[in-house]
Amino acid sequence: MVERNSIKLGTVELSYLEWGQGQEPLLLLHGLADLGWVWSSLGDYLAPNYHIIAPDLRGHGESSKPETGYKFSDYINDLDALMSYLGWNSATIIAHSWSAKLAAIWATQQPEKFKRLILIDPFFIDKMPSMFKVTFPLLYKVLPFLKAMGPFNSYEDAEKLARSLKQYRGWSPLQKQVFQLGIEEKPEGKWGSKFIPQARDEIFEEVMKYSGLTQVIDIPTLFIKPQQGLNKTEWQLKPYKRYLKRLQIVEVPGNHWAFLVKPDAFNKAVEAFLKEQFS
C-alpha cells in the first residue's frame, strides 16, 4: 500500500510516495514534467520485498515550486538530503529520461550513494551545442511530455490532447490516473500541468550545458531500452558503453514511457536485475 509523505528541505518541501516494508531501498526518479505516480505499477509490484521512495522532484507534482533553483546541483542536494532523512547510506536508483542524466551526474560525484543504477531511455546524455537553444520554443510545443503542460480551456480539452500522446497511448486506468494527478485547475479557470514553466526553462538550460557521463562509473548499471524509445542506434549507446564499466542493456516493449504503456514487461525487467547478485 502506498503512502504520501513529505520532508521540509530549507525553503523547499519535497513530497514523496512510499511503498513497502522491505529492507532494500529503491529510489525512483521520474522524468521531466512527470511525477512520482508514474511509478505506481512498479511500486505496487516490488513493494513486498523493497522499501521504495518516489519523490515528486521540485517544480513537479505536489512538491514546492520556487521561482528559481532547478539546476542539477539543486536536485542532487534535495535527493542527498532525502536519503539522509530516510537513513539510507546507499540505494538502487532508478531514473527515467532527463532524471537519468541527473542520476549519472550524481553517480559521478557520489558513487557511494549507489548500490545499483537503472537508467530508462535517457534524454540527451551529452552536452548540446549552444545554437540548439534557439529550438527550445519549438521543442516546448512538440515534445509529448511538454505538450500536456497547457494551458487548456477545460479539463476535457486537456484529456483530449493527453489521449493522443505517447505516454498515455491506450488510456489504461494507470495512465488515466497519472494524467489526472498531474493536472490542476489554475486560478484563472484554465487547466494545466502541475509542472511549471520556470522549472522547464532552467532544466533545459542545464541539459544543454552539462554532459551526464564524463568519467568511468563502476556501479552495476542496467540500461532499459524500449523498442520504440529514444535510444535506437549504436551511436546513441556509445557513451554508456564507454563510461559505465558494469553495464547491462535490456530491451523491453513499448515507447519512452514503457512503465506506463507496457508496465508488466517493464516491471519484470527491473525485478530480474534487482535479483542479480553483484560483488
Side-chain angles (χ1 to χ4, degrees):
M1 185 174 180
V2 63
E3 295 181 355
R4 181 171 288 281
N5 296 299
S6 65
I7 176 178
K8 190 77 171 178
L9 305 173
T11 60
V12 173
E13 184 171 339
L14 201 65
S15 180
Y16 61 91
L17 302 174
E18 185 168 12
W19 289 265
Q21 301 299 317
Q23 293 298 309
E24 185 170 346
L26 305 183
L27 181 61
L28 279 48
L29 307 181
H30 63 75
L32 193 65
D34 281 331
L35 70 170
W37 279 110
V38 299
W39 303 116
S40 58
S41 176
L42 182 65
D44 290 344
Y45 184 77
L46 295 176
N49 299 309
Y50 299 89
H51 183 192
I52 304 164
I53 299 293
D56 292 346
L57 299 172
R58 62 164 66 196
H60 298 74
E62 304 304 320
S63 289
S64 294
K65 300 173 178 66
E67 287 297 316
T68 61
Y70 299 100
K71 293 179 169 56
F72 285 124
S73 58
D74 296 313
Y75 287 102
I76 290 171
N77 288 339
D78 286 349
L79 295 170
D80 195 30
L82 176 61
M83 286 185 65
S84 294
Y85 170 78
L86 295 166
W88 290 1
N89 294 320
S90 66
T92 294
I93 295 170
I94 303 175
H96 173 239
S97 193
W98 153 74
S99 75
K101 186 169 190 174
L102 167 65
I105 293 171
W106 188 17
T108 301
Q109 296 175 357
Q110 296 180 294
E112 71 279 2
K113 298 285 187 182
F114 290 72
K115 181 178 180 181
R116 303 183 189 88
L117 175 61
I118 300 178
L119 303 176
I120 304 156
D121 208 23
F123 175 69
F124 288 128
I125 196 68
D126 291 322
K127 292 182 182 179
M128 294 188 289
S130 58
M131 67 181 71
F132 193 71
K133 186 175 179 179
V134 300
T135 69
F136 284 3
L138 175 62
L139 288 175
Y140 294 165
K141 293 180 180 180
V142 300
L143 290 174
F145 54 93
L146 297 180
K147 288 173 73 174
M149 287 184 69
F152 304 96
N153 289 325
S154 66
Y155 170 83
E156 289 72 23
D157 287 346
E159 183 179 306
K160 182 179 179 181
L161 174 71
R163 285 173 174 261
S164 71
L165 300 177
K166 291 181 179 180
Q167 62 266 50
Y168 302 119
R169 188 165 294 163
W171 201 243
S172 68
L174 168 63
Q175 292 165 311
K176 182 178 180 180
Q177 179 191 48
V178 168
F179 170 73
Q180 290 179 335
L181 290 169
I183 197 169
E184 63 186 357
E185 187 173 8
K186 304 296 183 178
E188 63 273 19
K190 302 282 188 177
W191 284 77
S193 172
K194 293 178 180 178
F195 178 59
I196 61 170
Q198 300 98 301
R200 175 199 65 192
D201 296 345
E202 196 168 335
I203 287 168
F204 263 77
E205 289 275 357
E206 287 283 284
V207 167
M208 183 177 68
K209 289 191 294 186
Y210 298 100
S211 177
L213 293 170
T214 57
Q215 63 189 58
V216 171
I217 297 174
D218 188 16
I219 297 167
T221 303
L222 176 67
F223 186 109
I224 295 184
K225 180 178 176 293
Q227 292 171 349
Q228 289 84 48
L230 300 177
N231 295 277
K232 298 177 180 179
T233 68
E234 188 62 27
W235 175 81
Q236 289 171 297
L237 297 175
K238 187 176 179 180
Y240 305 99
K241 292 181 177 180
R242 177 183 178 185
Y243 290 108
L244 298 172
K245 187 175 180 181
R246 303 167 73 184
L247 176 67
Q248 297 180 35
I249 299 175
V250 63
E251 188 170 277
V252 297
N255 59 33
H256 187 58
W257 292 268
F259 44 84
L260 291 180
V261 298
K262 295 290 184 181
D264 291 344
F266 175 85
N267 294 346
K268 289 176 182 177
V270 172
E271 180 185 40
F273 180 71
L274 293 177
K275 287 183 175 179
E276 291 189 33
Q277 298 298 315
F278 298 96
S279 57

